[in-house]
Amino acid sequence: MATSSSTTISPRRHESVSRWRSGQPPAFALLVYPITLLVGSLYSAISPTAQSQQQSTATRPGPVVPINYFARKDNIFNIYFVKVGWAWTTLAFVSLLFTQQAYTHSPVELRAKRSIKALLRYAVVTCAWILTTQWFFGPAIIDRMFTLSGGRCENISILADSPSPSSSAAAGTAHKVTEEIKTIFTAVACKAAAGHWKGGHDVSGHVFMLVLASAFLAVEALGASSEECKPLADGAKEKQHNINTMDHSAVADIDDRFKVWSLRFVWGVALLSWWMLLMTAIWFHTWLEKLSGLLIAISVIYITYYLPRTLTSWRYVIGIPGI
Ligand SMILES: CCCCCCCCCCCCCCCC(=O)SCCNC(=O)CCNC(=O)[C@H](O)C(C)(C)COP(=O)(O)O
Ligand SMILES: Nc1ncnc2c1ncn2[C@@H]1O[C@H](COP(=O)(O)O)[C@@H](OP(=O)(O)O)[C@H]1O
């Protein structure tokens, strides 16, 4: 009556299941991100709460009191989690390196090779985060995209406060300087000068960082805790336990606890990132701005985790989590 799984599962499905088991999620798993943005954007378009929020932003002058807690820029998760999101991501990743079997309980050479490759992958995604949101030989890529698409920093208080020039030549120079300042500003500098970042295509830094961080942590966690990284079969493990002294098994217990808590922490950071992504999708930005943030992040994840599966030379350099 019961048939074995190998006879009922199609080869394609079998390959997909074994990919999950070996810690390599198939590419379609990344669909969770466009679906999240789609659901969030649809909700913001049809929900009466989100609608009334948008109307009051458009019609009422001055600051608007958000209707939903997550629509506030000063919500606790935005300030202490997203705004310092790369520090959380780094901490979670480091906890994997110190606790997961792939990096702690394999033969020394394999352990060193896996750790170096994992650090390289971290360097690649961190470089991408720095270049896209913090610094790209001057303003970050998203700031450059904003100014290149016609955006500028409006209502800068230091310009409004400066005395008016007396001659027409001075007025001309002042006008030129004003225009230059408006276009060279980064989002951070604009905000610091109490200006408003207006007019261009404002790629969502939140969408970019939250997608990048959560996908990076999820793929690394799946790889580090995959079946292939478990060096001993259960029977062999039991046998080894019996040989060990009480002291050794106490140490193993503590190791196991760290391993489990580290994984919970990593999945916690990834899940909170996903939740904040949904909140960004509902309360902030236009469709196109969210889409461009998503596309940049997905490209980085594709290059770091999916390209090595087909491009041997790249796999040789950067490796695949858990292998
Ligand atoms: C080419 C040169 C780069 C070389 C890099 C090599 C990589 C090696 C590792 C470098 C060490 C990195 C240290 C990482 C530790 C930290 O993460 S500390 C910084 C904490 N800061 C953040 O996490 C800031 C996160 N926030 C943002 O990125 C932005 O606020 C935002 C979420 C994109 C939103 O932007 P807003 O403008 O604020 O809306
Ligand atoms: N999930 C979220 N919760 C709170 N604020 C958010 C948010 N997503 C985006 N924002 C805010 O919306 C603005 C644009 O974000 P971004 O371009 O990074 O997507 C930023 O405002 P501030 O720069 O004034 O803090 C940011 O803090």
Side-chain angles (χ1 to χ4, degrees):
M1 195 180 74
T3 47
S4 80
S5 58
S6 58
T7 54
T8 52
I9 296 178
S10 71
R12 237 179 139 182
R13 202 172 130 71
H14 192 266
E15 193 195 312
S16 164
V17 170
S18 64
R19 271 206 182 284
W20 276 108
R21 282 204 165 168
S22 63
Q24 296 176 49
F28 75 75
L30 293 176
L31 280 176
V32 68
Y33 295 113
I35 291 173
T36 303
L37 292 187
L38 204 67
V39 169
S41 302
L42 279 176
Y43 179 87
S44 89
I46 57 179
S47 143
T49 323
Q51 285 291 305
S52 57
Q53 169 83 40
Q54 279 156 14
Q55 272 160 19
S56 54
T57 314
T59 52
R60 243 187 270 160
V64 176
V65 181
I67 292 163
N68 185 288
Y69 180 69
F70 284 99
R72 291 170 54 157
K73 288 182 180 181
D74 63 349
N75 81 67
I76 200 165
F77 300 99
N78 194 40
I79 292 180
Y80 295 108
F81 182 70
V82 187
K83 288 283 185 175
V84 286
W86 210 255
W88 285 106
T89 308
T90 303
L91 197 67
F93 170 71
V94 169
S95 85
L96 282 182
L97 286 188
F98 280 106
T99 59
Q100 298 306 304
Q101 227 149 0
Y103 305 113
T104 57
H105 283 73
S106 330
V108 180
E109 262 178 43
L110 184 59
R111 210 188 301 174
K113 201 180 92 185
R114 278 179 178 163
S115 305
I116 290 169
K117 291 187 173 179
L119 283 167
L120 264 175
R121 291 191 295 273
Y122 170 76
V124 169
V125 287
T126 302
C127 266
W129 165 68
I130 292 174
L131 298 174
T132 311
T133 68
Q134 311 292 309
W135 174 87
F136 181 74
F137 307 96
I141 289 174
I142 54 178
D143 288 343
R144 285 181 188 272
M145 285 174 83
F146 178 77
T147 45
L148 280 173
S149 59
R152 44 176 49 211
C153 189
E154 302 280 342
N155 307 330
I156 310 163
S157 63
I158 50 166
L159 296 177
D161 294 346
S162 55
S164 45
S166 46
S167 70
S168 63
T173 314
H175 177 72
K176 213 173 142 207
V177 170
T178 307
E179 290 307 303
E180 274 173 15
I181 289 176
K182 280 179 178 175
T183 48
I184 61 168
F185 263 1
T186 65
V188 174
C190 178
K191 222 177 128 189
H196 291 288
W197 212 212
K198 268 190 188 159
H201 178 75
D202 183 15
V203 176
S204 171
H206 271 57
V207 168
F208 166 78
M209 199 201 71
L210 293 168
V211 171
L212 186 69
S214 59
F216 164 66
L217 288 178
V219 185
E220 288 294 340
L222 285 171
S225 59
S226 71
E227 294 292 318
E228 279 177 26
C229 289
K230 294 186 177 132
L232 300 172
D234 283 349
K237 207 175 177 181
E238 210 173 290
K239 205 168 152 193
Q240 203 196 34
H241 259 286
N242 294 339
I243 300 165
N244 283 344
T245 62
M246 281 298 286
D247 278 357
H248 278 107
S249 70
V251 170
D253 269 0
I254 295 172
D255 272 4
D256 276 353
R257 249 181 252 173
F258 276 125
K259 199 174 97 185
V260 169
W261 277 104
S262 153
L263 276 181
R264 284 181 187 162
F265 174 57
V266 170
W267 283 111
V269 172
L271 266 177
L272 190 52
S273 299
W274 172 81
W275 173 254
M276 291 308 283
L277 177 70
L278 182 63
M279 293 304 107
T280 303
I282 295 176
W283 303 112
F284 300 91
H285 284 286
T286 62
W287 289 76
L288 216 56
E289 290 168 350
K290 286 178 269 196
L291 183 67
S292 49
L294 171 76
L295 287 179
I296 305 175
I298 293 286
S299 312
V300 177
I301 291 297
Y302 181 81
I303 290 168
T304 318
Y305 293 103
Y306 291 88
L307 198 56
R309 292 182 190 177
T310 48
L311 194 62
T312 324
S313 52
W314 183 222
R315 178 166 69 227
Y316 183 73
V317 177
I318 203 162
I320 288 177
I323 290 186

